[in-house]
Amino acid sequence: MKLVVLGSGTSVPHPQRASAAYWLESAGGSLLLDISPDAAHRMAQEGLDWPGLDAIWVSHFHLDHLGGLAPFLFGMKWAPQTQNRSKPLRIFGPAGAKTLFEAFDGANNYRLLEQHFTIEIIEVDRSAEFEILPGLRARTVSPPHTHESMAIRLDEGEGSSLVYTSDTGYADEIADFAKGVDLLLTECSFRRNKPVETHLELADAMRLAHLAEPKRVLLTHLYPEWDGCDLRGTRHRRASAALSYL
Ligand SMILES: [Zn+2]
Ligand SMILES: [Zn+2]
């Protein structure tokens, strides 16, 4: 599998970090993990095959994870690149996704589901197992964030695996869920002294990683307080401070 980070930021507008969206390519097709308001243009910017996107995963209803869905479908409806598309686009999300989307769609009669191809909205339980793309198994678990939030684990046959926590507070259950995964893509909203229990700070993310023992960890969903922070530099400074005591 190949992962392209399209947005490592949050809902706070930021000059360098777009909000949540991750492009995943597997043997069975392409999958967008969350679709923030920045996602559509970031896909184009990275030269990705957005007109051929196979599936979208919506982790929860906060707009920095979902707010780009309607604009993307609006773009697909009218873009020259999608006029000959025939394969379906599948959108997986929490219970209530259909109602939420239809309410928006109906508010101005956009008819975003009436396209040249079929759009399926598939609602998923918070502890489900299903095939999200051919050959790509998905499992979900409910993290402490919002009531509908889901973390997702993706396993490609006997090959690579990934866990995307999306937004979450700390829970040992997330570590169990991510045990031994190839890539743990975890939020790490704050550096320290987090103001809410429904997000992680660095010590929480490190605890998750310590317990889950993934091959690699990728910290994302970074609030602007991370700006200018160089973790390696911080460690070196601490190391040199410690050395000065010796
Ligand atoms: Zn978020
Ligand atoms: Zn959220």
Side-chain angles (χ1 to χ4, degrees), residues 60 62 64-65 145-146 149 166-167 199 221:
H60 66 299
H62 281 162
D64 54 321
H65 298 257
H145 186 62
T146 59
S149 287
S166 186
D167 292 0
H199 282 295
H221 203 270

Side-chain angles (χ1 to χ4, degrees), residues 70 73-74 77 98-115 121:
L73 294 182
F74 187 74
K77 187 168 172 122
K98 272 185 200 162
T99 306
L100 186 66
F101 185 77
E102 285 167 3
F104 181 88
D105 194 39
N108 194 47
N109 197 26
Y110 289 109
R111 297 183 182 171
L112 295 174
L113 298 178
E114 294 173 23
Q115 308 243 0
I121 301 179

Side-chain angles (χ1 to χ4, degrees), residues 97-161:
K98 272 185 200 162
T99 306
L100 186 66
F101 185 77
E102 285 167 3
F104 181 88
D105 194 39
N108 194 47
N109 197 26
Y110 289 109
R111 297 183 182 171
L112 295 174
L113 298 178
E114 294 173 23
Q115 308 243 0
H116 300 287
F117 51 91
T118 306
I119 297 177
E120 296 172 40
I121 301 179
I122 300 149
E123 296 187 350
V124 171
D125 283 346
R126 289 179 297 165
S127 58
E129 278 197 55
F130 57 101
E131 192 171 57
I132 197 163
L133 287 173
L136 189 62
R137 299 294 308 167
R139 276 196 289 145
T140 59
V141 73
S142 176
H145 186 62
T146 59
H147 75 279
E148 82 284 2
S149 287
M150 288 183 283
I152 191 166
R153 178 172 178 137
L154 301 169
D155 286 272
E156 191 176 44
E158 298 303 306
S160 38
S161 55

Side-chain angles (χ1 to χ4, degrees), residues 144-204:
H145 186 62
T146 59
H147 75 279
E148 82 284 2
S149 287
M150 288 183 283
I152 191 166
R153 178 172 178 137
L154 301 169
D155 286 272
E156 191 176 44
E158 298 303 306
S160 38
S161 55
L162 176 154
V163 162
Y164 171 46
T165 65
S166 186
D167 292 0
T168 184
Y170 182 81
D172 285 344
E173 188 188 1
I174 304 295
D176 294 340
F177 185 64
K179 191 74 184 172
V181 79
D182 287 313
L183 177 66
L184 173 57
L185 174 59
T186 179
E187 79 128 279
C188 190
S189 293
F190 303 102
R191 291 171 66 182
R192 59 177 78 89
N193 303 324
K194 62 181 181 181
V196 290
E197 285 302 313
T198 50
H199 282 295
L200 300 182
E201 61 185 36
L202 182 58
D204 298 325

Side-chain angles (χ1 to χ4, degrees), residues 1-66:
M1 290 193 281
K2 176 185 166 188
L3 183 78
V4 179
V5 177
L6 298 171
S8 58
T10 65
S11 56
V12 179
H14 191 280
Q16 277 88 39
R17 292 188 192 283
S19 44
Y22 310 86
W23 176 274
L24 187 76
E25 281 173 27
S26 74
S30 53
L31 169 66
L32 188 65
L33 296 170
D34 278 338
I35 180 160
S36 69
D38 304 308
H41 294 278
R42 286 287 298 123
M43 286 188 277
Q45 199 172 36
E46 296 294 334
L48 299 169
D49 179 25
W50 59 265
L53 178 65
D54 291 298
I56 299 171
W57 168 250
V58 175
S59 66
H60 66 299
F61 296 152
H62 281 162
L63 289 172
D64 54 321
H65 298 257
L66 165 70

Side-chain angles (χ1 to χ4, degrees), residues 76-91:
M76 285 197 115
K77 187 168 172 122
W78 303 110
Q81 295 95 321
T82 53
Q83 300 308 302
N84 295 321
R85 174 177 172 143
S86 57
K87 66 175 176 177
L89 173 66
R90 296 194 171 90
I91 301 165

